[in-house]
Amino acid sequence: MNPGAALSLRDLRFGYQTEGPEVLRRLSLDIPAGTAAAVLGPNGCGKTTLLHVVLGWLAPQAGEVLVDGRSLSQIPRRERGRLMALVPQAEHVPFDFSVLEYVLMGRTPYLGVLGMPGDEDHRVALEILESLGLAHLWRRPVPELSGGERQMVTLARALAQQTPILLLDEPTAHLDLGNKGRLLDVVAGLAGRGTTVLFTTHDPETASLAARFLVLMRAGQILDAGPLREVLDAERLGATYGVPVRVVEVEGRPVVLLDRGPAG
C-alpha cells in the first residue's frame, strides 16, 4: 500500500452472481489522503458498486479494501461509521422525518446503544445545515423537499458523521446550478481541511471542477489513475467513453468537448 493512501484496493473482484459476469474486474488503486478524487466513467461501468464495496456493504469475491492501511474486513461495523460516510444518488425516506431529525441520524456512530442525540449532536447538525444554507428547512418533513433540497440534506447527514473519508455517488446529478456550485465548494473545502473525498461521476466537467486526482473507469476496470492534469486528456477520455473528444483550456482549467469533426 502507498503510505500516503487513505483508501487502497488490492486486486478487487466482485459480481452479483457467483457464476455471472464480474462487475468489478481485478481493481487495484490507491486514493491519496486529504484530496478530492473522482471516479469518472460512463453509466453502468461499476462506479456505484465500487463505492458499496469500499463501504463494506458488498463483499468482494476476491481482493481486499484497505482503510488507512487496515483491512476493511477487520474493522468493526460501528467503527466504519466513524471512518466513512456516503451520500447516495437517491434515498427513499419511508417516514416523515424532519430535516433536523434526518441529519441527526448521521450522529448514530457516536451514540451508545439506544442512545439519543444530545446537545453536542444538535449543535453539529444545526451548524452543518447553516453552512449549507439549509437552516430554514430544519422543521420541514424530508418527503416534502424538492429533489435538489433532498440531495443537499443527504449531504448534511453524511457531514454530520464527521468522518475523515467522504464518499459521494453522482453527487450533482439532481442539483440545479446554484446547489451544484455549493456542493463543489463543500468538496473543495473538505479536501482543503484534510478530508479524503471520493466521488463518482459520469460528467467530465464535474470531475474537472472538483477533483485533483482522477480515476478513469470503463466496464468494471480502471483504465488510468493519477493527478487530474495528467489523466484528463483526449486519448484517455476517448477510450473511457468510446467516442472522440477534445480537451481545451478555458480560463486555466480543462474543458471536455465532443469532437464532432469539421463543420460542413
Side-chain angles (χ1 to χ4, degrees), residues 122-162:
H122 280 80
R123 183 193 65 77
V124 170
L126 289 169
E127 283 188 359
I128 289 169
L129 287 171
E130 181 70 33
S131 72
L132 295 178
L134 302 172
H136 64 290
L137 299 175
W138 73 274
R139 284 193 175 101
R140 286 273 300 277
V142 174
E144 294 182 6
L145 302 177
S146 70
E149 288 171 337
R150 191 177 301 189
Q151 184 74 352
M152 293 298 290
V153 167
T154 303
L155 171 63
R157 187 193 63 178
L159 293 178
Q161 287 182 235
Q162 296 183 310

Side-chain angles (χ1 to χ4, degrees), residues 31-112:
I31 301 296
T35 193
V39 180
L40 176 65
N43 293 329
C45 73
K47 301 188 298 295
T48 297
T49 299
L50 174 61
L51 291 188
H52 291 177
V53 170
V54 167
L55 279 165
W57 292 3
L58 297 173
Q61 272 81 48
E64 67 175 341
V65 177
L66 301 173
V67 182
D68 199 21
R70 300 167 61 194
S71 176
L72 184 67
S73 62
Q74 302 301 313
I75 300 175
R77 184 172 297 274
R78 187 174 185 82
E79 186 180 350
R80 294 177 194 176
R82 299 183 182 185
L83 292 173
M84 295 184 287
L86 171 70
V87 180
Q89 288 189 51
E91 186 170 59
H92 175 62
V93 181
F95 305 108
D96 285 345
F97 292 113
S98 72
V99 166
L100 180 59
E101 289 170 334
Y102 185 67
V103 174
L104 282 169
M105 292 179 188
R107 302 299 297 166
T108 301
Y110 301 94
L111 304 179

